Amino acid sequence: MFDLANPPAGFIENPFPHYDDWLQNSPVMAQPDGSYLVTKHADLNAIYRDTTLYISDKKQAFAPKFGEGSPLFEHHTTSLVFNDPPLHTRVRRIMTSALTPRALARMEPGLIATVDRLLDDMPHAPDLIEDFASTIPIQIIGNLLDIPMSERAPLRDWSLAILGALEPTLTPEQLSLGHRAVSEFKSYLQDLIARRRAVPGDPDTDVLTRLIAGDTEGQLTEIELIQNCIFILNAGHETTTNLIGNGLALLHDHPDQKSRLLNDFTLIDTCVEEVLRLRSPNQFGNRETTAAVTIGGCEIPPRTNLHLCIGAANRDPEVFDNPSEFDITRHPNRHLAFAGGPHVCVGLTLARMEGRIAIERFLRRYPEYSLSDKRVAGGRIRFHGYSALPAQLVAGEV
């Protein structure tokens, strides 16, 4: 039996052969701890859309993992992604109202300027994660919350530590680091929120000001406000970093596809969708059953944790032709990288815009870039990407 809490050597770096095997031989798989792995596209799609039989609330699962009342428990049971209505509905409505097409259009020039500045300052032998991919979402989210530029340095490390605590198993050091990151981030946000209450920003561009104001049903509590500001950073940081890094790695490793894109940049949107499908930045989601259910012929009891393997569903041959191939013209592309149903990623349009602009402008500036053989995998099961992507750049604009 495959045990997600104790995966075999090499799984984190290359889980895809395992996914292919699960899809063919065991699409619903019991785990030693009583949870279940679910891999088929149709099953994930149905689960995401059924908020009666499958809930996002994780208090039962997170209490023994983090310690009830601990900083990580408070964060991960209060933030948008692990909540159900009515809190989920209210917070999502406020966030969505700040990410309208008009608001995103206003953000695009600033995003382009950020990317171009990074490209201008990039060394000839950069780490494309440290020097490029990870910096972009930090600056964009910093702009969304109007965090002063001089105060953004700790944001990435806080985010990595808090999201790292979602891995199936944790060392005591990882757990301690996650608790400390939540506490430090909370303390910082309490001060930032006090400053913003005293001097509100423009609610059309400042999501923090909008969250403070609340909506027609009232304001968020202080804890709800703080934890969902942390969620905004976490949801948009590591996943977008992985989207950009995975995209540049895939294009480098598939020179035929890179050549197609360089010859026709109108393919950039379908290219981004194919990166999201084949190397989904987020490989696993979770739901909990509220009643006995049957999935793929397996009878699953109520209050059971389900590991929804997005990475496998996006390779399901019942949905995708030649699913292991990287094809930047693939259409349709019904991937589940952003989940689905009421919990579909609230920032999906922003993430796509970041991926599109970052990858295209990098390729236009450095079409002949090369990656070294010293890539470092991100080391996560839930989140798939690189922690280091050393490159050599050759100038030659397209």
Side-chain angles (χ1 to χ4, degrees):
M1 174 192 291
F2 183 93
D3 183 359
L4 191 64
N6 187 29
F11 176 79
I12 290 176
E13 293 78 11
N14 185 21
F16 305 108
H18 294 274
Y19 294 170
D20 296 340
D21 177 62
W22 300 347
L23 286 163
Q24 182 175 353
N25 299 309
S26 50
V28 182
M29 192 187 325
Q31 295 290 282
D33 64 359
S35 62
Y36 279 78
L37 266 171
V38 185
T39 61
K40 297 292 288 183
H41 188 284
D43 290 334
L44 265 67
N45 197 36
I47 291 167
Y48 279 134
R49 297 175 191 284
D50 187 336
T51 58
T52 301
L53 289 176
Y54 308 99
I55 59 172
S56 299
D57 186 291
K58 295 295 293 291
K59 293 182 181 67
Q60 176 179 274
F62 285 162
K65 181 172 185 175
F66 299 137
E68 192 165 357
S70 69
L72 281 168
F73 179 84
E74 179 186 274
H75 170 67
H76 285 305
T77 59
T78 309
S79 68
L80 185 69
V81 70
F82 293 124
N83 261 284
D84 297 301
L87 176 63
H88 176 269
T89 306
R90 288 192 58 221
V91 177
R92 184 182 179 89
R93 185 167 55 238
I94 297 169
M95 290 185 184
T96 302
S97 70
L99 295 172
T100 62
R102 177 172 170 266
L104 290 171
R106 291 174 63 177
M107 290 171 58
E108 186 163 349
L111 172 57
I112 292 171
T114 295
V115 170
D116 286 349
R117 183 172 62 253
L118 290 171
L119 293 172
D120 289 341
D121 296 339
M122 197 168 290
H124 291 299
D127 174 353
L128 295 183
I129 302 302
E130 184 72 28
D131 297 320
F132 189 61
S134 68
T135 303
I136 295 166
I138 287 292
Q139 299 306 329
I140 297 308
I141 296 161
N143 292 343
L144 273 178
L145 297 174
D146 198 17
I147 296 173
M149 195 70 68
S150 61
E151 298 173 9
R152 296 182 185 185
L155 296 181
R156 185 187 180 203
D157 287 341
W158 284 337
S159 178
L160 290 173
I162 295 167
L163 286 178
L166 294 175
E167 289 293 282
T169 56
L170 298 174
T171 65
E173 292 76 17
Q174 289 172 317
L175 190 61
S176 176
L177 188 63
H179 286 315
R180 187 166 68 250
V182 174
S183 297
E184 291 176 357
F185 205 167
K186 274 184 64 179
S187 178
Y188 170 72
L189 285 170
Q190 286 168 336
D191 177 66
L192 182 67
I193 289 166
R195 285 183 273 159
R196 199 61 46 82
R197 288 189 194 280
V199 184
D202 179 354
D204 286 340
T205 57
D206 176 10
V207 175
L208 179 53
T209 292
R210 189 182 288 263
L211 286 169
I212 290 171
D215 63 9
T216 56
E217 296 180 24
Q219 295 179 320
L220 301 174
T221 68
E222 192 77 0
I223 293 300
E224 291 168 349
L225 174 59
I226 289 170
Q227 299 299 356
N228 281 289
C229 286
I230 296 176
F231 163 76
I232 290 172
L233 172 68
N234 292 346
H237 170 239
E238 187 163 9
T239 51
T240 305
T241 298
N242 289 348
L243 167 58
I244 297 167
N246 292 347
L248 293 175
L250 279 168
L251 288 165
H252 173 272
D253 296 343
H254 296 81
D256 60 324
Q257 298 299 306
K258 188 182 80 166
S259 179
R260 294 176 80 176
L261 185 57
L262 288 171
N263 289 325
D264 182 6
F265 275 109
T266 65
L267 297 174
I268 187 63
D269 289 328
T270 53
C271 174
V272 168
E273 297 306 307
E274 182 69 342
V275 173
L276 287 164
R277 181 194 72 85
L278 193 62
R279 293 289 186 271
S280 300
N282 187 6
Q283 293 283 300
F284 285 90
N286 293 92
R287 289 295 184 273
E288 189 175 287
T289 60
T290 61
V293 298
T294 301
I295 306 174
C298 292
E299 296 182 3
I300 299 174
R303 308 300 289 175
T304 297
N305 187 35
L306 305 179
H307 307 281
L308 308 182
C309 189
I310 296 165
N314 284 347
R315 300 169 67 91
D316 190 336
E318 294 182 9
V319 178
F320 304 100
D321 294 332
N322 302 313
S324 62
E325 292 185 7
F326 180 53
D327 177 5
I328 67 168
T329 65
R330 186 181 296 274
H331 183 79
N333 193 340
R334 298 185 296 275
H335 64 75
L336 295 172
F338 294 118
H343 273 271
V344 68
C345 175
V346 69
L348 80 173
T349 305
L350 176 58
R352 283 173 165 138
M353 184 172 76
E354 290 179 81
R356 168 176 57 82
I357 289 172
I359 292 171
E360 178 176 345
R361 296 187 85 80
F362 179 90
L363 283 175
R364 286 186 181 277
R365 187 79 64 96
Y366 299 110
E368 300 304 321
Y369 70 100
S370 62
L371 301 180
S372 82
D373 58 1
K374 300 189 182 302
R375 305 179 200 184
V376 180
R380 314 267 213 199
I381 290 176
R382 185 180 178 105
F383 300 97
H384 182 75
Y386 298 93
S387 62
L389 203 58
Q392 291 287 333
L393 303 183
V394 179
E397 296 191 14
V398 175

